[in-house]
Amino acid sequence: MNVRITLRVDGEERSTTVDSRTTLLDALREHLSVTSPKKGCDHGQCGACTVLIDGRRMLSCLKLLVGCDGSDVVTANGLGAASGKSEAVRDPAGELGGLHAVQRAFLDHDGFQCGYCTPGQICSAVGMFEEAAAGQPSHVTTDLADERIVLDDAELRERMSGNLCRCGAYVNILAALRAAQPRSPAGRAPSELPEDGA
Amino acid sequence: MIPFDYQRAAAPADAVAAVAGRPGAAFLGGGTNLVDHMKLGVAGPDLVVDVSELPLNHVLETDTGALRIGATVRNSDLAAHPLVRRRYPALCRALLSGASGQLRNAATTAGNLLQRTRCPYFQDTSTPCNKREPGTGCSAIGGHTREQAILGASAHCIAVHPSDMAVAMLALDASVGVLGPYGERTLPLDALHRLPGDAPEQDTVLRHGELITDVELPARRFAARSTYRKVRDRASYAFALVSVAAALDLDDGVVRDARVALGGVAHAPWRATRAEEVLRGAVASEGTFRQAADAELTAARPYGGNAYKVPMVRNTLVAVLRGLTAERPDRPYPGWHGPGLEEESG
Ligand SMILES: Cc1cc2nc3c(=O)[nH]c(=O)nc-3n(C[C@H](O)[C@H](O)[C@H](O)COP(=O)(O)OP(=O)(O)OC[C@H]3O[C@@H](n4cnc5c(N)ncnc54)[C@H](O)[C@@H]3O)c2cc1C
Ligand code: SF4
Ligand code: FES
Ligand code: FES
């Protein structure tokens, strides 16, 4: 069955006609030439294909494109002011050399080796920070009822466990995440954390 | 993947009619299990009816103080819901221990209940499997058994149900609302999943075209003193080897009522009724907890590679029950925040 689908990708309206079997990941990469989401496992196990769908991080390899008609999809490519695109997640201050704060932190802290998992890590981190800011608990949150989430290392590790890195760059990914976490004015900022080590 | 037609249902009754009217049709929730199976060739629906946008995205308190959870509520939203966090810690912990942040954002309540086994042979279409292809045999028996069942298995299938959420819901006396071509029915969650018997291809008692519309958790005194503990190969993002959901209603050191459910041990989330019987009316002590675990495990039948699960269940259950008698019952074990294993979990 062929279907015509229209969605926003990195702030731009895009339309394509695909077979109903096409996943969002394949549509982005093969039909729309948006290659920042990567295909690692194609079975929901690695996180390399992570994108933001309507602001939430999800795996594009397990999402059928036919279910995405009208959705707003943001990939690592569309983050940051340089793209001039996505309203939802762009760096509002625009002071980061055109990069999103999370992208900048990955560069500053050398949060990758080969880079294959990186676009997925970055989209996942952006979604993860939003979830924490909204007060969502994680498996390692001690007090489930407390909506002020402090993102210490245990929290960051747990919340990012859906993104595997074949190169094992986790130590520096964690350093990047520590540096990238939004400092909220409401006293929710995490306690001062060391910048080095894991 | 086999070609299929796609349809997005606007109302539950439309979804039911669409699937009931076509033998090869399937409902699609978040797709995190079904789409994977379609890629693997384990499932091949000719019509996919997307129910993820049905107006069933609610978490409501009913007149009787029960919690009604819509079928399309995302696992992450359910875990973050204030009432779930405060009143049903076992459910909150179970949801948060499952899969990953990305998957929980897509996975739905109904899809999670109906996810299929992770038995490696079931997922590999080149091997015989009675669940995937009835009558072909079970590759796990005499094969790789490390993750397989120790309770309630049959000579036809020894697979386990993979859901964390369902185990917690079982310990919280959940019931499931179903809409079918002939109307609505409600069944206790206990009665939803089947043991394999001689028909392992049927995971549940649901008939073709029956749609799960919601799950209800009754108001129970024990719910607040409940928790979920999962033992796995990695600290995160791994299925349970074994898991325990338990809830205690304590009256001055005596167990007034108890619920215990086990994960990773059977074809269905396993209600540990024998353990509950020992607990009810007994003094909440280490001795009672051990007796309760032993009572449940007398029926255990390991298959070689999974024999470790018997002591693992015993130790985990005792540790969970001990934790539930503590001052802050939802923080049941040392090393809770961060890696590090307690002595029992080896
Ligand atoms: C890498 C990985 C790791 C995972 N780890 C865990 C884990 O640790 N713990 C855990 O519990 N789970 C885990 N999961 C499984 C995950 O929780 C399930 O895939 C998810 O909950 C399924 O929900 P869904 O909405 O995506 O279901 P779908 O894939 O959409 O559907 C699953 C089944 O339910 C049926 N269905 C969907 N909605 C309805 C309805 N309303 N009525 C009737 N039938 C319906 C579908 O037809 C299908 O048969 C993991 C998955 C992956 C890929
Ligand atoms: S245990 Fe069940 S699912 Fe696994 S191979 Fe045997 S029949 Fe198939
Ligand atoms: S490619 Fe999607 S999770 Fe691996
Ligand atoms: S940097 Fe190579 S996979 Fe992560």
Side-chain angles (χ1 to χ4, degrees), chain A residues 1 20-21 23 42-47 50 56-59 61-64 66-69 120 124 131 135-147 149 152 154-155 158-159 161-164, chain B residues 1-6 8 28 30-32 35-36 39-40 48 50 74 76-77 79-80 82 85-86 89 92-93 96-97 100-106 118 232 235-237 328 330-331 333 336-338:
Chain A
M1 173 190 184
S20 55
R21 290 172 285 185
T23 61
D42 210 23
H43 290 284
Q45 299 175 350
C46 74
T50 303
R56 306 181 76 167
R57 52 176 174 160
M58 295 202 198
L59 302 176
C61 72
L62 292 183
K63 191 89 194 155
L64 294 172
V66 285
C68 296
D69 199 36
S124 185
E131 292 162 11
Q136 293 188 20
S138 86
H139 180 60
V140 300
T141 304
T142 308
D143 185 352
L144 291 179
D146 191 351
E147 299 201 354
I149 304 297
D152 59 16
E155 284 278 2
E158 164 61 27
R159 289 169 189 263
S161 70
N163 291 85
L164 306 190
Chain B
M1 215 188 278
I2 291 169
F4 59 85
D5 294 333
Y6 172 91
R8 191 180 282 193
L28 177 74
T32 60
V35 173
D36 192 15
K39 290 184 186 188
L40 291 166
V48 168
D50 191 340
R74 306 301 154 145
S76 48
D77 291 340
R85 296 164 78 157
R86 274 189 258 115
C92 187
R93 294 261 179 238
L96 294 172
S97 77
S100 67
Q102 292 95 313
L103 285 158
R104 292 190 296 271
N105 276 340
R118 308 300 288 199
R232 44 186 160 172
S236 186
Y237 202 22
R328 300 293 303 264
D330 181 48
R331 301 176 195 187
Y333 55 89
W336 173 245
H337 196 99

Side-chain angles (χ1 to χ4, degrees), chain A residues 111-118 121 164-170 173:
Chain A
F112 45 82
Q113 287 178 35
C114 77
Y116 196 79
C117 71
T118 312
Q121 299 274 5
L164 306 190
C165 174
R166 188 70 176 82
C167 298
Y170 297 110
I173 292 171

Side-chain angles (χ1 to χ4, degrees), chain B residues 3-119:
Chain B
F4 59 85
D5 294 333
Y6 172 91
Q7 207 170 294
R8 191 180 282 193
D14 301 342
V16 170
V19 170
R22 204 144 135 188
F27 297 116
L28 177 74
T32 60
N33 197 222
L34 184 61
V35 173
D36 192 15
H37 284 166
M38 288 160 69
K39 290 184 186 188
L40 291 166
V42 169
D46 59 13
L47 169 65
V48 168
V49 177
D50 191 340
V51 296
S52 65
E53 303 293 325
L54 287 179
L56 297 170
N57 187 21
H58 52 257
V59 181
L60 307 167
E61 197 175 359
T62 69
D63 298 344
T64 58
L67 197 68
R68 184 169 301 150
I69 302 161
T72 63
V73 176
R74 306 301 154 145
N75 288 180
S76 48
D77 291 340
L78 185 56
H81 195 279
L83 288 178
V84 174
R85 296 164 78 157
R86 274 189 258 115
R87 292 192 196 162
Y88 305 95
L91 176 58
C92 187
R93 294 261 179 238
L95 285 160
L96 294 172
S97 77
S100 67
Q102 292 95 313
L103 285 158
R104 292 190 296 271
N105 276 340
T108 62
T109 311
N112 189 316
L113 284 178
L114 298 179
Q115 62 174 302
R116 308 203 69 191
T117 184
R118 308 300 288 199
C119 172

Side-chain angles (χ1 to χ4, degrees), chain B residues 117-123 127-133 137-141 148 156-160 196 200 267:
Chain B
T117 184
R118 308 300 288 199
C119 172
Y121 305 106
F122 174 72
Q123 293 178 299
T127 58
C129 167
N130 286 327
K131 184 181 279 299
R132 186 171 23 78
E133 269 182 83
C138 171
S139 299
I141 297 174
Q148 309 287 2
H156 303 278
C157 177
I158 60 171
V160 299
H267 193 260

